[in-house]
Amino acid sequence: MASMVQLELQRLADKLRQLKQQAEHRDLQGDRSAYAKMAVLDERFSCRSDLFFDYVLELENDLSRIARLSDISQDVELIKLYCDRFIGKFAMLQSQMNKALALQQRQRAPQQQKVISWQNKLDKIIRSGDRSQLQEKLLQQKQFEQQLEYKIAEKSQRLNRSNPQTDTARLSAEILNLKSRLGECQKTTWKLEQKINQIK
């Protein structure tokens, strides 16, 4: 019976390691809504953080306590009760993380559609060779570039002032994403400039 308890604890520890990786990834996306999704909805969690990672740490502490209890107690029913409670908290955290991911994907979809639509319009204008339209789009592209450069500079300043490791990682990821967008923007600007030069 004791070996069955140890196997169950090992299985829970493995699942918790996977959840920990997911939580780190979620927090790096910059959502920062864990408190609203977890502590407010589930009073079993004593954590009051905006990071999902901190809720995983609470679960790690819970599992450690259950493991210590299994070492000193032969009461399998009691250990099973604590395991069931742990699984309930685990399932709640996993469910809320999945909902947060689904919401983020729904919110990103319209933005991605806008980018695709804008790129399609630009491609048509480049193919058409209409000089006045090309110049108008070139001006807009340069404005986009300036906005992205401003956002990168702003995030870089915040990164220099940030202390917590999670903030540093999140801001670094956001800056990389903005730099990638800026690179794509600059490529399009170059294409427009080349096309305008060909028309002259």
Side-chain angles (χ1 to χ4, degrees), residues 10-24:
Q10 186 56 54
R11 185 183 70 83
L12 292 174
D14 291 341
K15 291 185 79 171
L16 191 56
R17 270 193 291 276
Q18 292 173 4
L19 191 67
K20 191 175 187 177
Q21 290 178 339
Q22 292 170 21
E24 282 181 300

Side-chain angles (χ1 to χ4, degrees), residues 3 11 41 46 49 60 62 73 80-82 88 91 99-100 116 130 142 147 149 158 163 168 171 174 176 188-189 198:
S3 62
R11 185 183 70 83
L41 296 174
S46 58
S49 173
E60 281 185 337
D62 290 349
S73 172
K80 188 177 181 306
L81 175 67
Y82 280 111
K99 283 180 186 174
I116 292 166
D130 185 316
K142 289 191 172 178
Q147 288 170 8
E149 284 168 353
R158 284 171 59 191
N163 289 320
T168 302
L171 286 165
E174 288 175 10
L176 280 174
T188 305
T189 299
Q198 286 169 14

Side-chain angles (χ1 to χ4, degrees), residues 143-181:
Q143 287 172 345
F144 288 153
E145 279 183 36
Q146 285 178 340
Q147 288 170 8
L148 287 169
E149 284 168 353
Y150 174 77
K151 283 181 184 175
I152 290 167
E154 184 185 36
K155 300 262 182 201
S156 296
Q157 285 178 349
R158 284 171 59 191
L159 179 63
N160 292 335
R161 293 194 303 265
S162 68
N163 289 320
Q165 189 176 353
T166 48
D167 276 359
T168 302
R170 178 178 56 82
L171 286 165
S172 296
E174 288 175 10
I175 290 167
L176 280 174
N177 181 44
L178 286 168
K179 283 184 176 177
S180 172
R181 284 172 57 193

Side-chain angles (χ1 to χ4, degrees), residues 22 24 43 50 60 102 121 130 133 145 162 183 191-192 194:
Q22 292 170 21
E24 282 181 300
E43 61 189 22
D50 281 328
E60 281 185 337
K121 283 178 190 172
D130 185 316
Q133 282 190 316
E145 279 183 36
S162 68
K191 272 200 240 176
L192 286 165
Q194 292 298 306

Side-chain angles (χ1 to χ4, degrees), residues 80-121:
K80 188 177 181 306
L81 175 67
Y82 280 111
C83 282
D84 288 346
R85 286 181 185 171
F86 172 87
I87 291 166
K89 285 176 74 171
F90 180 99
M92 175 64 172
L93 178 57
Q94 190 169 48
S95 168
Q96 292 306 318
M97 281 170 52
N98 289 341
K99 283 180 186 174
L101 177 60
L103 177 63
Q104 188 180 52
Q105 287 171 340
R106 283 199 303 273
Q107 288 170 339
R108 279 184 179 170
Q111 182 62 33
Q112 289 168 338
Q113 284 301 317
K114 282 181 189 174
V115 171
I116 292 166
S117 173
W118 171 254
Q119 198 61 54
N120 289 340
K121 283 178 190 172

Side-chain angles (χ1 to χ4, degrees), residues 7-70:
L7 281 171
E8 176 66 5
L9 290 174
Q10 186 56 54
R11 185 183 70 83
L12 292 174
D14 291 341
K15 291 185 79 171
L16 191 56
R17 270 193 291 276
Q18 292 173 4
L19 191 67
K20 191 175 187 177
Q21 290 178 339
Q22 292 170 21
E24 282 181 300
H25 181 70
R26 287 291 317 123
D27 291 338
L28 288 177
Q29 302 303 307
D31 186 23
R32 317 276 300 183
S33 63
Y35 175 73
K37 290 178 172 64
M38 293 304 307
V40 172
L41 296 174
D42 195 331
E43 61 189 22
R44 290 172 297 182
F45 280 96
S46 58
C47 185
R48 294 293 179 265
S49 173
D50 281 328
L51 298 174
F52 285 111
F53 185 80
D54 291 335
Y55 292 85
V56 177
L57 293 181
E58 181 173 328
L59 285 175
E60 281 185 337
N61 290 333
D62 290 349
L63 195 59
S64 294
R65 281 195 290 273
I66 296 170
R68 285 196 299 272
L69 179 64
S70 73

